[in-house]
Amino acid sequence: MVNLFCCYRPKKKNPIPKLVDRSLPDPILELVFSQLDDSGSKGLYSCLTVNSKWNLKARQILWKRPFTSKPLSQENSIKLIRTLLLCLDTTTKQMLRALLKDGRPITNIIPNESPLFNYASLMNELDYKEFEISIQSYLLNFMSNLSIEHIHLIAKSLFILIMRTGSTFRSLIIDKFSEDYANLPITEIQLQRKSNYLSRITKLNLNYYESSDIFDFLRLLPTICNDLLEFTVTICDFENEALVNRSVADVISSQRALKKFSMDGARNGGNTILIALGGSQSKTLTSAKFRLMNFKSAGMRSLAKCSQLKELLFENCQGLTIEITKILYNAKLKNLKNLIIWNYHKVPTVTSLLIKSTMNSELKELTLDIMIIGTVNTILEHCPNITTLKIFDYQPKHNIQMFRLLKGLPNLERLTIYRETKVELGVINFSGNYLPNNLKYLRLECGISSDQLDNLLKGLRDRSKLKILIIDYFKTERSHLKVIVEWVKRSRTLKFLGIGGKSIFSKGELTELNILQKEYGVSIIPSHKFDYY
């Protein structure tokens, strides 16, 4: 997020193409900028000086999620915070200078200048943890005796600014990076001011930690925020867990039309939350994700009422016995498109029954953690039209069943193979002959040697339609990239390549990546954007 200030001047080496009409109609202009948004910020900087309309569109994209769109360097964190501080009013700046004063000149901490534009008004999402980390980076430039209170003070003032001026603000991610979990200013802001800024929030991600501030906020939510479309909660086991679960259930019940809900935790309070979902959101809920949840009959019966579910995830959940899973099976979820099953302790009969519960649906995406003959038979019999498959905890001993499954899914376009434990030795030791003809996306999150990768890619031969290849393996070396270059030279189908597991590339590795980009037009996917492809 470089050069976000109003004084930005784009570099000449990245100009707007001459063929682009700078007076495009609004619908076409929206389409152009949506594509620039998807491709990253590089092209957006050139749009800032085209004309006022292009400038505003570019700024809106650059500033809508500055603390969540990508990992921030210390330099960019400092620039972001300084720009936001510029947007504060004179009274607030003076107040901050007085409170931050520690016996040294501190004028530079809170700048005097005013920006040509209020950038805080463009933000529509804030990750509070990354926000505080950026403030820490900024203050460390000026203060040797930095305390957590200094960070809280700046965060509170800027948060008020964002909430007060951000007319498009809709998404809030609440987390903390310090051990001091107090001083979350949301409740205080809400109680002190007449305007209900939180009423417009439609997406809330709450990482619950044991703090009176966050508990007060959770209990206040049902009275101030009723239009959530997405609600994600992460909690841990502690003394007042029952009260927290009850408060989460109250938030759910108070929403007018919740569409997506995700719960991580609540081993002892799952029923309370599930009953709230089935009781108040059964006609609107389309996505439900549960991690470390303890299921009981009453809770599963309530979940089964959610007939509009399109996405359902069970990860390391307890209580999923045959009897309780049959409740979901009998519900016959007709709208389900995506089913995700992942548990450390495998229960093949439950996995098969969950898959069978989709038999009357048009299931397109499946993630499963076990590959045995019974599970494969169930998939081939009840959901043969899958287009996206993710295999977790891949084991080479399961190859025969995996090959049976891949052969029986003629419409498969996207395949992910994942190993739960990191391994240095290659485990993908099979030819691409076994991969489906229509495969366009392949992601390998497991050990693979360069020879094994060569064998895999060569097996695709001239039938390859592979456009996206992601190798998220911590032992990837230049030899892997050489194999990919040779394969791309022959196939010419690859458009995007992702290399994960490492943040620094050697000179030789950079040479191969440069060949892929410049000679064959392959775009390199940043690791933090793998899940967007």
Side-chain angles (χ1 to χ4, degrees):
M1 195 66 60
V2 185
N3 291 320
L4 291 174
F5 301 113
C6 51
C7 59
Y8 174 78
R9 294 294 181 270
K11 297 179 180 179
K12 292 183 178 180
K13 65 179 182 179
N14 189 26
I16 296 294
K18 292 182 179 179
L19 295 178
V20 174
D21 184 353
R22 302 182 183 202
S23 59
L24 292 172
D26 286 347
I28 304 299
L29 189 62
E30 291 289 344
L31 179 60
V32 169
F33 275 93
S34 68
Q35 293 175 342
L36 285 171
D37 190 8
D38 292 338
S39 64
S41 59
K42 182 179 179 181
L44 289 167
Y45 294 126
S46 298
C47 302
L48 290 169
T49 56
V50 174
N51 57 41
S52 59
K53 184 181 290 187
W54 283 63
N55 180 288
L56 179 59
K57 289 290 184 184
R59 281 186 295 181
Q60 287 173 340
I61 296 174
L62 288 169
W63 274 93
K64 66 180 181 178
R65 292 188 305 273
F67 295 98
T68 53
S69 59
K70 64 174 70 175
L72 289 171
S73 67
Q74 184 176 6
E75 178 186 1
N76 290 336
S77 294
I78 292 171
K79 289 181 178 181
L80 272 172
I81 298 304
R82 186 179 189 280
T83 303
L84 289 174
L85 288 171
L86 288 171
C87 300
L88 290 171
D89 60 78
T90 303
T91 302
T92 304
K93 288 180 180 181
Q94 291 174 348
M95 180 271 295
L96 286 175
R97 290 192 189 102
L99 293 174
L100 288 171
K101 194 170 184 179
D102 60 352
R104 298 181 300 116
I106 56 164
T107 305
N108 290 333
I109 298 181
I110 311 298
N112 283 317
E113 307 96 303
S114 296
L116 297 177
F117 190 87
N118 181 9
Y119 291 92
S121 67
L122 299 177
M123 290 178 60
N124 62 26
E125 180 173 273
L126 178 65
D127 184 330
Y128 206 83
K129 179 178 180 179
E130 296 302 322
F131 181 52
E132 287 189 316
I133 291 173
S134 294
I135 292 172
Q136 182 187 47
S137 297
Y138 177 80
L139 290 178
L140 283 173
N141 264 3
F142 302 95
M143 306 177 72
S144 57
N145 57 341
L146 177 64
S147 70
I148 196 68
E149 286 75 18
H150 293 133
I151 297 174
H152 289 328
L153 184 63
I154 297 291
K156 178 181 174 181
S157 298
L158 292 181
F159 186 74
I160 290 174
L161 172 70
I162 294 165
M163 296 297 287
R164 179 170 53 83
T165 63
S167 59
T168 62
F169 193 86
R170 296 292 183 272
S171 177
L172 182 59
I173 302 169
I174 299 177
D175 200 352
K176 299 284 281 183
F177 84 100
S178 69
E179 294 181 359
D180 179 6
Y181 292 141
N183 291 313
L184 185 73
I186 299 175
T187 305
E188 180 184 350
I189 293 169
Q190 193 64 38
L191 293 175
Q192 287 183 351
R193 296 183 174 265
K194 295 180 180 179
S195 300
N196 184 2
Y197 299 130
L198 289 175
S199 63
R200 59 177 181 255
I201 298 293
T202 60
K203 180 180 178 182
L204 177 63
N205 190 323
L206 176 61
N207 187 0
Y208 187 90
Y209 39 82
E210 215 164 355
S211 160
S212 59
D213 282 7
I214 198 69
F215 190 44
D216 289 343
F217 168 63
L218 189 58
R219 290 192 295 180
L220 185 64
L221 264 177
T223 63
I224 60 175
C225 186
N226 307 117
D227 290 312
L228 288 179
L229 300 178
E230 300 182 33
F231 185 28
T232 299
V233 187
T234 301
I235 66 172
C236 300
D237 297 328
F238 40 76
E239 291 181 1
N240 65 340
E241 184 184 1
L243 292 175
V244 175
N245 291 331
R246 181 66 263 170
S247 296
V248 171
D250 290 342
V251 174
I252 293 171
S253 299
S254 68
Q255 302 311 309
R256 295 185 179 92
L258 189 65
K259 292 183 179 297
K260 296 182 179 182
F261 178 73
S262 178
M263 187 77 200
D264 190 341
R267 287 194 182 276
N268 301 316
N271 257 11
T272 304
I273 292 167
L274 289 167
I275 290 171
L277 282 172
S280 62
Q281 308 299 330
S282 61
K283 294 182 179 180
T284 61
L285 195 68
T286 59
S287 174
K289 299 180 179 181
F290 305 104
R291 299 175 179 87
L292 300 174
M293 179 81 86
N294 190 0
F295 280 85
K296 296 181 180 179
S297 298
M300 186 62 86
R301 280 195 294 270
S302 184
L303 180 64
K305 295 177 184 178
C306 300
S307 58
Q308 301 304 311
L309 279 175
K310 296 180 180 180
E311 181 179 40
L312 190 54
L313 177 147
F314 299 100
E315 181 179 320
N316 290 321
C317 292
Q318 296 178 346
L320 290 175
T321 63
I322 292 294
E323 291 73 20
I324 290 178
T325 308
K326 278 183 179 178
I327 297 171
L328 198 64
Y329 167 76
N330 292 330
K332 302 292 189 292
L333 301 174
K334 297 181 180 180
N335 293 299
L336 205 64
K337 299 289 192 298
N338 184 11
L339 176 63
I340 303 161
I341 310 166
W342 183 16
N343 291 288
Y344 290 125
H345 302 290
K346 318 301 181 198
V347 186
T349 51
V350 168
T351 297
S352 292
L353 194 55
L354 285 171
I355 295 171
K356 285 181 182 179
S357 68
T358 70
M359 67 173 70
N360 293 326
S361 70
E362 296 181 2
L363 192 73
K364 297 297 183 182
E365 302 178 40
L366 177 63
T367 300
L368 73 161
D369 58 0
I370 192 165
M371 188 72 60
I372 62 174
I373 187 170
T375 308
V376 171
N377 288 343
T378 301
I379 297 170
L380 295 178
E381 180 180 355
H382 296 290
C383 40
N385 296 318
I386 290 173
T387 58
T388 299
L389 177 65
K390 297 181 182 180
I391 301 171
F392 278 84
D393 196 25
Y394 165 76
Q395 303 286 343
K397 64 183 180 181
H398 297 150
N399 275 352
I400 293 177
Q401 297 306 323
M402 185 178 74
F403 298 156
R404 279 187 63 227
L405 181 59
L406 295 179
K407 184 178 180 180
L409 299 176
N411 299 320
L412 191 67
E413 296 181 355
R414 299 171 63 90
L415 175 63
T416 298
I417 301 177
Y418 174 84
R419 183 74 176 266
E420 285 184 356
T421 56
K422 284 188 175 182
V423 290
E424 293 193 18
L425 299 177
V427 296
I428 299 293
N429 194 16
F430 56 83
S431 168
N433 291 328
Y434 295 101
L435 298 180
N437 290 336
N438 290 321
L439 198 68
K440 299 176 182 177
Y441 172 104
L442 178 62
R443 181 168 176 171
L444 304 175
E445 296 189 44
C446 48
I448 183 167
S449 69
S450 56
D451 289 339
Q452 290 171 342
L453 181 62
D454 188 40
N455 184 38
L456 184 72
L457 295 176
K458 282 182 177 177
L460 292 172
R461 301 188 303 279
D462 55 2
R463 64 186 176 87
S464 173
K465 297 179 182 178
L466 197 63
K467 294 183 178 181
I468 302 173
L469 174 63
I470 297 175
I471 302 178
D472 198 356
Y473 173 45
F474 69 107
K475 292 285 287 185
T476 304
E477 299 173 347
R478 184 179 185 181
S479 57
H480 292 83
L481 298 176
K482 281 182 171 291
V483 166
I484 295 172
V485 169
E486 289 302 313
W487 172 71
V488 169
K489 188 186 299 185
R490 296 190 302 270
S491 68
R492 303 283 178 143
T493 62
L494 196 69
K495 302 299 181 184
F496 299 95
L497 172 67
I499 301 295
K502 60 194 310 179
S503 56
I504 300 176
F505 293 94
S506 67
K507 184 177 180 180
E509 290 166 346
L510 290 173
T511 298
E512 304 300 332
L513 291 173
N514 192 50
I515 292 173
L516 286 168
Q517 288 178 293
K518 292 191 174 181
E519 295 188 22
Y520 301 108
V522 176
S523 298
I524 307 301
I525 309 172
S527 58
H528 65 275
K529 287 204 171 184
F530 284 176
D531 292 338
Y532 292 93
Y533 284 79

